Amino acid sequence: MPASSEVISRLHQLESSPPNPQRAEAYSSTLNEIIKSSSASDLAANLVAYVESILSDNIGVIGSRPLLSGFVEQYRDLQDNDVKIEAGNQIIQILAPKTVSFEQQDTDLKFALADAYETDEDFTNSAKTLQVITLDSSQRAVSDDEKAQVWIRICRCYLEEENPTNAVAYLNRLKQIIYNVTDEVVKLQFQLSQARISDSMNNFLDASSAYYSLSTERTIDEEERLHTLSAAITCAVLGPAGPTRARQLGKLYKDDRAADTAEFSILEKIFLDRLLAPTEVAAFAAGLKDHQLAKTSDGTTVLDKAVLEHNLLAVSRLYQNISLSALGALLGTDADRAEQYAAGMIESSRLSGSIDQIEGVIHFNTTEGGKDSSAMNLRAWDTNIQGLAEEVEKVTTMLQREEAAWYEAQVAA
C-alpha cells in the first residue's frame, strides 16, 4: 500500500526546503505526526516514505545520519509488531546500497527488527536478520564482545527452531574468539549453547557433562542451576549404557541437589542398577522434548533404547545366566531383539558376557569368571559394600544438614 498523499506532500516540501536546523526539527515533528496519526494500514508505508525522504540526495549524508538515528529510536518503540516487521524489511532494502554511509544506524535497525521477529517467535527470520549485520567494518570498530553477542544470539535463535546444524556454524565462529570475550553472560550462553547443541544432536553424554558444569556456576540463579541439573540428569539417562554413563550418573547421584529434581527417582534406580518399570519410564518420557523422543533406525525412541540397555545391565547384576526368551520377557521385548541388544553391548564392551546361540542362553560376566561363580560373587560383594557405604554417607550428610548441632556434638564426643 502506498503512503498517504498528505505525508508524501509534506515530505516533498521538506526535501525542497533549505538545509538548516529548522528543517531537521520539521522532519522530527513530521515523524511524530506520522506515528501518532497514521492508521494501522498506512503506518508502515508512511514510515518507509519518511526514510526514503531523509535519505534522498537533497538531504545529504551529513544531514541524513542524525535524522535516521532519530527514526531508529522511534521505530524501536513501535507497539505494532506487524508494522515493525513490514516497514523494517523495506527500510533495510533501501539502506542496503548505502550501508557504508549508515553502518551504525543500519545495525541498530536490524537489531530492532530481530527483536520484533523474536517477539513473534519467528526465530529463523530473526537469525537471518542478524546474519547480515556488518561485523567486519572499516568505518567503525567492532569488538570481539560485540561480535560474540551477535553470533551467540544467532546460535540461540537456530536452537529455538531445533536447527542445530546452523547453530553449530555460528558457535564455531564464536569458539575462535571466546577466550577474548569479557562478557560473562555471553560466556555462560556459549556453554549453554554447546550443551543444547549436543542435546539436539543426540550426543547425550556430552550434553549431560556440559549441563552439569553449568549447574555448578555460582553466578547463575539458583533456580536456573537446578534446571540445568535436571537437564544433565535427563541427558545422562538417555545416554548409551556403559562405563562412561555410569561415571556420569554417579557424579549426578552424589550431588546433594539431585534429590530436589523431578528426575531423581529414575536417576536413583538407574544408578543402583534396579529394573525400571514401564510406569516410571512413561512418567519420565512425559517431560522429554520432541528431539529426545525421535525414532531411531529400528523404530524405537532413544529412551526405549536407553531403558532396554539399562534393564539389560540390571539383569546382568542379578543373573549369572538366563535364557534369551526369559530375558526378552524381563525386558518387555522378544528374544531376538533382546539377543540383538545384548550382542551389540557385548561387542562394544559395555556388557560383559557371551551368548550361546545353540542353547539360547546368555552368560553374564564370563570374562571375569566364566562358569565359576567366585568372580561373580566377589563382584556382587564389592557392589553391595559400595552401595552400603554410599547410603551411610548420604544419611550422614542429611544428619549434618538437618541436625547440625547434634552432629557436631557427636563428632566432638
Side-chain angles (χ1 to χ4, degrees), residues 312-352:
L312 187 50
L313 280 175
V315 169
S316 76
R317 304 290 193 267
L318 299 172
Y319 294 86
Q320 292 185 37
N321 56 68
I322 188 173
S323 69
L324 292 172
S325 57
L327 177 62
L330 280 174
L331 299 179
T333 186
D334 56 61
D336 289 342
R337 187 152 174 257
E339 180 183 358
Q340 178 186 355
Y341 271 83
M345 292 178 69
I346 291 171
E347 184 179 7
S348 60
S349 301
R350 293 184 289 128
L351 176 67
S352 178

Side-chain angles (χ1 to χ4, degrees), residues 368 374-390:
E368 293 180 25
S374 59
M376 175 71 81
N377 293 335
L378 182 60
R379 184 167 175 269
W381 174 265
D382 288 343
T383 301
N384 289 337
I385 292 296
Q386 180 184 356
L388 178 61
E390 288 169 349

Side-chain angles (χ1 to χ4, degrees), residues 62-83:
I62 301 301
S64 296
R65 278 181 184 150
L67 290 174
L68 186 57
S69 295
F71 169 82
V72 173
E73 291 179 11
Q74 297 272 51
Y75 169 84
R76 190 183 289 115
D77 295 333
L78 290 175
Q79 298 301 309
D80 191 326
N81 225 40
D82 292 335
V83 169

